[in-house]
Amino acid sequence: MAKFASSEAGKKGGQARAKKLSKSQRSVAARRAALARWSKEGKELPQATHEGVLHIGDAEISCYVLANGERVMSTRGIMKGLGRVWRGRKYPGTQLPVFLEAKNLKPFISEDLIAGPNMVKFLTPGKDPFVAEGYHAELMPAICDTYLKAREAGVLTPSQVKVAAQAEILMRGFAHVGIIALVDEATGYQRDRSRDELAKILEAFVAKEIQKWLKTFDLEFYELICEIRDEPISRAKKRPQYFGKLTNNLIYQRLAPGVLDELERLNPTNAKGQRKRKHFQHLTPDMGHPKLKEHLAGVTTAMKMAKLQGLKWSEFLKLLDKTHPKWQSMPLFDNLESK
């Protein structure tokens, strides 16, 4: 009984001391405690010699190079890179990555991930090292591929579909520059080339890929077209094929010289007259997309004014030719404009 009271008193005393510490001091204390536990158990952890931060979209992934040459990416960082939130490990003790613990993913996990051991416990560099957890950088493509295969099979939950979309972006980026070279650059391990050369390539690539998921033309734009053309408003959601020609007329042909021709070359129609992607997904993120948003806002404002004035479609087009003139003639749409 006395022993129990003593342990309870010690526990309360420890809690009281913890409350007096700042957040950073508590973090350091926790790291030291973890390091002490591993040392006590006689486990020798590998030491990281280099560290850095890999920027992918909005995520910041801490990455390390260990003394034995292994490249490691932090568990929490990978979670952020996949657009997931860390909520702890569902199955403690397993070597399976925490981001692949869902049962519906198991049939699609590669042998490399199952074989393990994949998780790495190691000591961070510096005078005050702490125990960190991560995964071999080479496994990232396999992790992303798991979500992509599950998506192809149609077994993902709605929240996992978003993760798969992010995994696809990461997969493309990693394939673009090479994951090993990327980690080497971020940590400064590969010093015979510019420190941020490869990271900049990846960042630009990811930014371009993310454009595919951005919503550009909202419902209001198509509803205004229906109202001015005196068409059923329901067509704004269905968007029949000729709406693409109207959009080309109002937007892409007036955006900049030669833009529509280049977009049609990059994004041609198939045998059914459909395009694989939206035209705006091929615009550059630094100039093309902002310019499109600016032009789209101007045309939308012009349509609102035309609606208030009760202008017909042909009258609106004449007004638009003055405020936002075409860069070249569009004979294919001459008949369409007069309807």
Side-chain angles (χ1 to χ4, degrees), residues 241 244-245 248 263-277 279:
Q241 194 168 358
K245 296 182 178 180
N248 286 342
L263 289 175
E264 290 183 336
R265 183 187 71 81
L266 295 171
N267 192 33
T269 57
N270 58 22
K272 297 181 180 180
Q274 300 172 335
R275 301 184 190 277
K276 188 176 182 180
R277 298 183 178 87
H279 270 343

Side-chain angles (χ1 to χ4, degrees), residues 119-221:
M119 187 182 69
V120 180
K121 292 276 189 178
F122 60 96
L123 298 178
T124 59
K127 296 180 180 180
D128 190 21
F130 63 92
V131 178
E133 174 189 313
Y135 289 86
H136 297 293
E138 296 95 324
L139 295 176
M140 274 303 296
I143 292 170
C144 293
D145 193 46
T146 300
Y147 279 94
L148 299 183
K149 288 180 179 178
R151 183 179 67 178
E152 186 177 351
V155 301
L156 295 182
T157 65
S159 61
Q160 289 175 330
V161 170
K162 297 179 180 178
V163 177
Q166 187 67 14
E168 182 178 5
I169 293 174
L170 295 180
M171 190 75 153
R172 291 171 182 262
F174 293 148
H176 196 64
V177 298
I179 186 61
I180 293 300
L182 185 62
V183 174
D184 286 356
E185 184 281 319
T187 60
Y189 191 65
Q190 191 76 25
R191 299 187 183 279
D192 59 352
R193 61 173 171 244
S194 174
R195 178 172 175 79
D196 59 354
E197 179 182 351
L198 292 176
K200 285 182 178 179
I201 293 174
L202 178 66
E203 189 174 1
F205 180 90
V206 171
K208 183 178 179 180
E209 289 293 299
I210 288 175
Q211 294 295 326
K212 298 177 182 179
W213 306 95
L214 295 180
K215 186 177 180 181
T216 299
F217 292 87
D218 57 22
L219 184 61
E220 181 187 29
F221 174 78

